[in-house]
């Protein structure tokens, strides 16, 4: 049931005749930008609310998808156990890296931050900002293992959490990592978080505590399109698209860092902690010889009382996050009221929703390598509501599994690799993706693509490869042009062109996650031979080159190597996948509750 926003124009259960909804409604996640559509939507909400108490709630069509009977059997045992051993080793590495990332800039920097600078640590800040600790952290391992060192959390935490029940993206700099300065990977992480906010129309909250660019790497941060300035460009574009942005100045905002709060729509600054200036006191001294305190140069009082760069003054951090939460409550979203449910009903509903098989079994289904892949329907059956799945084209192109299911009550179309993406499989994939687009059903891709390049050793094979190429090209077009939300989970291999058709990163999925066992590379480790040219090199030299390439492929294809470079939105554990997917689908849906989405001519200008 929705709350009424148009009490003044409708009463007594009558629907305003000027605002009758059109016969077909746009899907909830599509941007609704025209005035007409906005009115239709308001009318729709209004009409629902204004019906008498006897009004019926809209009901989804009843579905009784078949249950996927996919128990583990003794025939699977050998592969299952090998996968399980690999998953356990990957899990151990994942925990080690996570702990490393959570240490931020190390003990000395933490002491300087909390004791000398009297600031809260970034996770404590999030605790005060968000409703609870159950947030979706994005790319927590980004920044680890880079050529220029380990940059914990890439110097800033990003994710999606609830503020007053509203999902918001947060971008929170961690000043214990080199004073919160921006490395190239920091910029990339911030841009990806903004992209997610843009694509899913999520409000964005910035916690700014940054010394600007990390100067030794300035050439990789400053000039190019997707570098430093893009953050500010995005702020303007997001504002024009009515994607709200709020910032809290909870530390230094120097140089580039100064534009983030100044360009946000509403900004709070913390007394004695927050400062905003293009150049700090040391530069002033060097240029003019004048000694000035940070507070006098660009402190909270100056910006709240004189410059107007900020809108709210807070005496301490707690007050600042309370203030940010209050700002979020004015963003004009109307979330649906929670349905009242007694304990027994909740328990029954949850029991019905749960898959029939334990999610822990996914650890033994996560393939160690392509050859250890078991039937992907075993994975699907451990993720969907009640292990139910309505398969599409079950007997055609069987190396791709397609069909409908529900995840936490959300209808989705599933596209899952179950072998090579053959000609028939790709045709089927194209058809199914277009079908979901036609019906406005979000798509979930479970990716486990083939490790080798297609060799052409005969005319028949050449013909097969050409047909496959055509069909894969069609599937890529269908995926690229589908306007429904797309979520990709790499459950095994992400190799070569097959991965594009399966909505790899270049195909703009709303979210892309990896399982810790995943391998991401042009070609899988062990298959380097097919990439090397057939020239006159001696066998020995060729073997050496092949071994070296395979070693590099092994190292560079790990999920952690990928996530460190932010080629994805993070490594997630197989057993957490259902929860993450449920959250993502919930997050994507939220935009339908924003009441004002009509694009403005320009961004909101501060003064
Ligand atoms: N580039 C590279 N390193 C920087 C840096 C920058 N812009 N700003 C700070 N650092 C480093 C410091 O050298 C120090 O490194 P260390 O831990 O290895 O000694 C670390 O970040 C923390 O800086 P420090 O000054 O000790 O901490 P602080 O909490 O007292 O102050 C700042 C943090 C950001 C306020 C302060 O360092 C500062 O004003 N930096 C200059 C900012 C600037 O002029 N930026 C211009 C960018 S275009």
């Amino acid at each position: 049931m929705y709350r009424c926003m148009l009490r003044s124009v409708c009463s007594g259960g009558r629907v305003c005749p000027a605002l009758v909804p059109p016969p077909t409604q746009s899907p909830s996640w599509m941007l609704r930008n025209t005035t007409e559509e906005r009115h239709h939507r308001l009318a729709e909400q209004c009409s629902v609310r204004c019906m008498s108490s006897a009004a019926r709630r809209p009901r989804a069509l009843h579905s009784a998808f078949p249950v996927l009977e996919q128990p583990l059997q003794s025939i699977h045992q050998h592969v299952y156990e090998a996968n399980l051993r690999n998953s356990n080793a990957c899990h151990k590495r994942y925990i080690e890296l996570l702990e490393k990332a959570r240490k931020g800039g190390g003990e000395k920097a933490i002491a300087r931050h909390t004791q000398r600078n009297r600031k809260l640590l970034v996770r404590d800040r999030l605790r005060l900002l968000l409703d609870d600790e159950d947030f979706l952290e994005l790319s927590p391992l980004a920044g680890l293992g880079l050529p220029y060192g380990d940059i914990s959390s890439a110097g800033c935490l990003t994710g999606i959490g609830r503020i007053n029940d509203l999902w918001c993206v947060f971008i929170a700099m961690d000043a214990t990592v080199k004073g919160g300065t921006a490395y190239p990977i920091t910029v990339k992480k911030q841009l990806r978080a903004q992209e997610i906010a843009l694509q899913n129309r999520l409000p964005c909250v910035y916690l700014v505590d940054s010394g600007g660019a990390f100067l030794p790497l300035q050439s990789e941060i400053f000039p190019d399109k997707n570098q430093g300035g893009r953050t500010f460009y995005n702020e303007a574009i997001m504002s024009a698209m009515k994607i709200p942005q709020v910032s809290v100045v909870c530390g230094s905002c120097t140089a580039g860092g100064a534009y983030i709060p100044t360009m946000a729509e509403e900004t709070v600054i913390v007394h004695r902690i927050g400062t905003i200036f293009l150049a700090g006191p040391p530069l002033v001294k060097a240029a003019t010889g004048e000694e000035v305190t940070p507070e006098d140069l660009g402190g909270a009082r100056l910006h709240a009382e004189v410059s107007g760069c900020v809108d709210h003054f807070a005496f301490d951090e707690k007050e600042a996050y309370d203030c940010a939460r209050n700002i979020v409550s004015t963003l004009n979203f109307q979330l649906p009221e929670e349905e009242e449910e007694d304990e027994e009903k909740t328990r029954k509903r949850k029991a019905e929703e749960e898959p029939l098989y334990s999610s822990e079994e996914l650890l033994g289904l996560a393939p160690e390598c392509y050859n250890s892949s078991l039937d992907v329907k075993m994975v699907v059956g451990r993720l969907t509501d009640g292990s139910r799945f309505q398969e599409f084209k079950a007997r055609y192109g069987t190396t791709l599994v397609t069909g409908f299911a529900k995840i936490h009550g959300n209808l989705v179309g599933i596209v899952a690799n179950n072998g090579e993406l053959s000609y028939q499989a790709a045709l089927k994939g194209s058809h199914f993706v277009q079908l979901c687009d036609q019906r406005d059903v979000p798509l979930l891709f479970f990716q486990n693509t083939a490790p080798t390049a297609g060799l052409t050793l005969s005319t028949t094979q050449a013909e097969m490869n050409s047909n496959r190429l055509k069909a894969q090209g069609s599937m890529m077009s269908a995926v690229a042009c589908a306007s429904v939300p797309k979520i990709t989970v790499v459950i095994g291999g992400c190799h070569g062109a097959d991965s594009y058709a399966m909505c790899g990163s270049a195909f703009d999925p709303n979210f892309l996650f990896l399982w810790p066992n995943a391998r991401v590379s042009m070609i899988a480790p062990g298959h380097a031979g097919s990439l090397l040219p057939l020239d006159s090199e001696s066998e020995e030299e060729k073997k050496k080159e092949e071994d070296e390439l395979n070693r590099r492929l092994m190292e560079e294809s790990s999920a952690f190597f990928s996530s460190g470079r932010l080629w994805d939105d993070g490594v997630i554990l197989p057993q957490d996948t259902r929860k993450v997917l449920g959250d993502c689908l919930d997050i994507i849906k939220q935009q339908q509750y924003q009441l004002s989405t009509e694009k403005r001519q320009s961004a909101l200008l501060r003064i």
Side-chain angles (χ1 to χ4, degrees), residues 105-124:
E107 276 174 32
K108 222 173 100 193
I110 290 176
R112 182 176 57 211
H113 183 87
T114 52
Q115 287 161 30
R116 195 190 70 188
N117 296 348
R118 295 178 179 280
K119 293 190 285 190
L120 294 178
L121 292 172
V122 65
R123 286 187 189 274
D124 294 330

Side-chain angles (χ1 to χ4, degrees), residues 108-109 112 116-117 119 175 177-181 210-216 252 254-256 277-280 282-283:
K108 222 173 100 193
R112 182 176 57 211
R116 195 190 70 188
N117 296 348
K119 293 190 285 190
V177 183
K178 287 279 181 202
T181 52
S210 165
F214 181 74
L215 287 173
S252 156
T254 310
F277 29 65
L278 292 174
L283 274 186

Side-chain angles (χ1 to χ4, degrees), residues 182-194:
Y183 288 78
I185 195 73
T186 318
V187 176
K188 194 172 178 191
K189 192 167 178 184
Q190 290 174 1
L191 292 181
R192 176 61 186 153
Q194 283 184 323

Side-chain angles (χ1 to χ4, degrees), residues 71-122:
L72 288 171
Q73 290 173 1
S74 51
I75 190 177
H76 303 133
Q77 192 179 346
H78 182 65
V79 175
Y80 182 89
E81 282 175 1
N83 285 340
L84 188 59
R85 276 193 298 277
N86 181 56
S87 284
N88 288 338
C90 292
H91 184 254
K92 191 163 163 255
R93 182 78 187 127
Y94 170 78
I95 297 293
E96 281 166 13
L97 291 173
L98 209 55
E99 277 172 9
K100 190 173 185 176
R102 293 206 168 155
K103 284 192 178 135
E107 276 174 32
K108 222 173 100 193
I110 290 176
R112 182 176 57 211
H113 183 87
T114 52
Q115 287 161 30
R116 195 190 70 188
N117 296 348
R118 295 178 179 280
K119 293 190 285 190
L120 294 178
L121 292 172
V122 65

